[in-house]
Amino acid sequence: MASVTALLAGPGFAQQQPPPVAVPQVQVVPPVVPVQVIPPPVLSAAQITQLAQLLDDAGFAHGLRHDGSAQPRLEGNDAVVRAALDYARAVHSGRLDASDFQQDWGLRPAAYDPMPAFADAVKRDRIAAWFRALPPPYSGYDGLQKGLAAYRKIEANGGWTTLPAGPDMAVGSSGPRVAALRKRLAVEDSDVVATGDKFDAALKEAVVRAQRRYGLNPTGLVSKGTLGALNVPAGDRVRQIMANMERWRWLPAELPAKRIQVNIAAAVLTVFEGDAPIASMKAVTGRPGNETPMLQSRIHSIVLNPPWNVPAGIAAKELFPKGAAYLARNNYKIIGTGASRRIQQQPGPKSALGLYKFDFDNPYAVYLHDTPSQSKFASFDRLDSHGCVRLEKPGPLAQLLLRNDPAWQPDEIQAALATGKTQRVQLQPQDQVHVYLLYWTAFASANGQMNFRGDPYGWDKTLAAKIERRSAITAVATR
């Protein structure tokens, strides 16, 4: 007898098979899981009183409004519950509505519903503990809250007097402007002797401390830049702190222990491992008009000897007008013709991206990269890019990210670079590091001293105004 296998393989088998039977497709509908709607809790009289007292000054203390005037007293269960839930959402994940975000504010807080935890706290009579746990759990946020209280006090006491323009002040200077400088510095620095009109060595040290706090070149010479920083009104410093507290609320409840952070305003990159900084370097970030966006992502690959695909806007405004000879001299290649033509700068010593490009997914087409031009890193004003982030030490960063890949140790990296050929190196999944581009213009040092940076994009004032406007709207809606 012929084997079954042979029969199945023999000629004519297909013709001998019965016609296929249509099998009805049964659509499996997953069971509908009812959404549990938690009704607003009913507070006891004591809880109403307790929560109203907690809410009385909380929004002001956490920078949800600049106005410190007394707020209308909350009365009744519904009003207190609405105010508590509104405050919880605001201080936990931000005051802004989705419509308030600018396009280049790519950080977005996670959705947050305070009702379940609030209802549980009411049931277990642990409202105070629930209330304390709402703000971001970061020391950086705590430092800003303490700084907010200090600068509110300064503002309430009249702030400081604007220092008049005039010649630069240095050791040996004297007169009314030096006396005014002493008085101004003493407001923020308790080690300064507030009286006297002589610019001595001690005053120079105080100026240096102030310049460090403001991210300026610590020369001890009081010139235009230092005067400008000292003359920012105290009320503007309060709003600056408010804006930075709000940005902390946009971050996840727990930051990855291994991450890279770029402070856009200060133009500094810091590498964290084990939630502690292990390395930092200077950066060059976007100039006003070409802002570096705030965002979070993950570095997934490093491009060695990267070409630069010039964005169409830069090509049209800055490169095509310079002519074909300039493009050829600088290793640019025109790809395509007519309206679809574009420019690509080839890899090499003149490439604007240098030898390294660090890629991460984002809708803004920005990345971290090397640069052949190192002069800007010597400057204290390093906002000079088209939006991407140039790095002072990209080679060591690449070695750090690839250190666990035996195929890409320092010798292998250098050999690949020496070929001049473009090569993408995919990071191993466990080595793909989170990256955060952040806009920190106010932060507290370890000793509690507030530090400020300029607001080059005007985002602080814009954000502070949005916070106050949204707080006013919600205050009316919750009463």
Side-chain angles (χ1 to χ4, degrees):
M1 174 182 283
S3 70
V4 174
T5 303
L7 287 173
L8 291 177
F13 175 75
Q15 288 78 8
Q16 298 169 7
Q17 300 306 303
V21 177
V23 178
Q25 297 296 313
V26 179
Q27 184 176 7
V28 179
V29 179
V32 177
V33 179
V35 178
Q36 185 180 8
V37 178
I38 301 176
V42 177
L43 310 175
S44 68
Q47 288 175 330
I48 290 176
T49 300
Q50 178 192 25
L51 199 45
Q53 289 175 344
L54 289 171
L55 289 166
D56 187 47
D57 190 50
F60 182 69
H62 283 275
L64 298 177
R65 65 178 192 275
H66 185 251
D67 179 14
S69 60
Q71 300 295 295
R73 186 70 178 176
L74 293 168
E75 294 183 2
N77 185 86
D78 291 350
V80 172
V81 167
R82 284 195 301 270
L85 295 174
D86 172 69
Y87 168 78
R89 282 186 290 266
V91 80
H92 182 84
S93 56
R95 167 51 83 194
L96 298 197
D97 184 76
S99 62
D100 293 322
F101 282 83
Q102 296 183 182
Q103 183 180 1
D104 41 15
W105 296 356
L107 291 175
R108 294 292 189 278
Y112 171 65
D113 179 6
M115 181 64 86
F118 176 58
D120 182 66
V122 171
K123 180 180 179 181
R124 296 189 297 128
D125 201 22
R126 292 183 56 81
I127 291 176
W130 169 79
F131 202 85
R132 288 193 300 271
L134 290 172
Y138 304 116
S139 60
Y141 183 89
D142 296 339
L144 285 175
Q145 188 183 5
K146 293 174 183 176
L148 179 66
Y151 277 78
R152 285 195 190 282
K153 186 175 180 180
I154 292 173
E155 184 185 18
N157 290 334
W160 44 69
T161 302
T162 300
L163 298 175
D168 292 351
M169 289 182 281
V171 172
S173 299
S174 61
R177 291 181 67 239
V178 173
L181 174 65
R182 281 188 172 277
K183 188 175 179 180
R184 165 64 185 90
L185 291 173
V187 176
E188 293 180 290
D189 187 343
S190 60
D191 291 335
V192 176
V193 177
T195 58
D197 65 355
K198 306 295 184 185
F199 199 125
D200 54 19
L203 186 59
K204 177 181 177 179
E205 290 305 310
V207 169
V208 167
R209 292 195 296 272
Q211 289 169 331
R212 292 190 188 281
R213 291 197 305 272
Y214 291 122
L216 304 172
N217 191 2
T219 60
L221 175 71
V222 180
S223 54
K224 184 178 178 180
T226 302
L227 278 179
L230 292 172
N231 282 339
V232 173
D236 285 2
R237 293 302 187 197
V238 168
R239 291 182 176 88
Q240 196 168 1
I241 296 172
M242 288 172 56
N244 282 268
M245 291 176 73
E246 175 74 1
R247 294 187 196 107
W248 274 106
R249 300 179 193 119
W250 300 347
L251 293 177
E254 184 176 352
L255 286 170
K258 181 180 178 181
R259 64 187 185 274
I260 290 174
Q261 290 182 192
V262 175
N263 184 344
I264 300 167
V268 172
L269 177 146
T270 305
V271 181
F272 288 80
E273 287 196 357
D275 208 30
I278 64 164
S280 66
M281 68 183 74
K282 295 175 183 177
V284 174
T285 51
R287 66 179 71 94
N290 296 113
E291 291 83 359
T292 297
M294 289 183 281
L295 60 84
Q296 58 180 316
S297 187
R298 186 192 295 260
I299 296 177
H300 54 70
S301 57
I302 303 172
V303 183
L304 305 178
N305 295 315
W308 181 32
N309 294 303
V310 183
I314 298 175
K317 294 178 182 178
E318 300 181 23
L319 295 180
F320 276 126
K322 293 183 177 180
Y326 172 87
L327 296 178
R329 281 197 311 272
N330 289 278
N331 213 17
Y332 288 104
K333 179 180 179 181
I334 299 177
I335 301 174
T337 59
S340 63
R341 67 176 182 164
R342 61 187 180 89
I343 295 178
Q344 183 186 75
Q345 189 178 33
Q346 302 305 294
K350 294 182 179 181
S351 171
L353 303 190
L355 301 178
Y356 303 89
K357 176 187 174 190
F358 300 81
D359 268 345
F360 46 90
D361 295 334
N362 67 90
Y364 305 98
V366 298
Y367 39 83
L368 312 180
H369 68 89
D370 185 15
T371 175
S373 176
Q374 298 291 305
S375 60
K376 200 63 180 176
F377 294 118
S379 172
F380 276 80
D381 177 12
R382 296 192 300 277
L383 278 74
D384 195 47
S385 80
H386 288 98
C388 289
V389 180
R390 304 176 198 159
L391 302 181
E392 180 188 24
K393 302 173 183 177
L397 180 61
Q399 292 181 21
L400 180 65
L401 298 185
L402 292 168
R403 63 186 172 181
N404 297 322
D405 190 337
W408 288 103
Q409 293 303 294
D411 287 346
E412 285 74 18
I413 295 172
Q414 290 306 312
L417 292 173
T419 68
K421 296 179 180 179
T422 299
Q423 187 166 354
R424 180 179 294 276
V425 181
Q426 200 74 26
L427 295 178
Q428 299 184 53
Q430 66 271 23
D431 292 328
Q432 294 185 10
V433 62
H434 288 83
V435 60
Y436 293 83
L437 306 188
L438 307 169
Y439 191 75
W440 296 140
T441 60
F443 50 90
S445 55
N447 64 0
Q449 177 67 60
M450 282 301 304
N451 295 262
F452 297 97
R453 297 295 181 265
D455 179 20
Y457 301 164
W459 286 354
D460 285 344
K461 291 182 179 179
T462 299
L463 180 52
K466 287 177 180 287
I467 293 169
E468 293 202 76
R469 184 164 57 250
R470 188 59 59 182
S471 291
I473 292 171
T474 56
V476 172
T478 56
R479 294 182 185 276

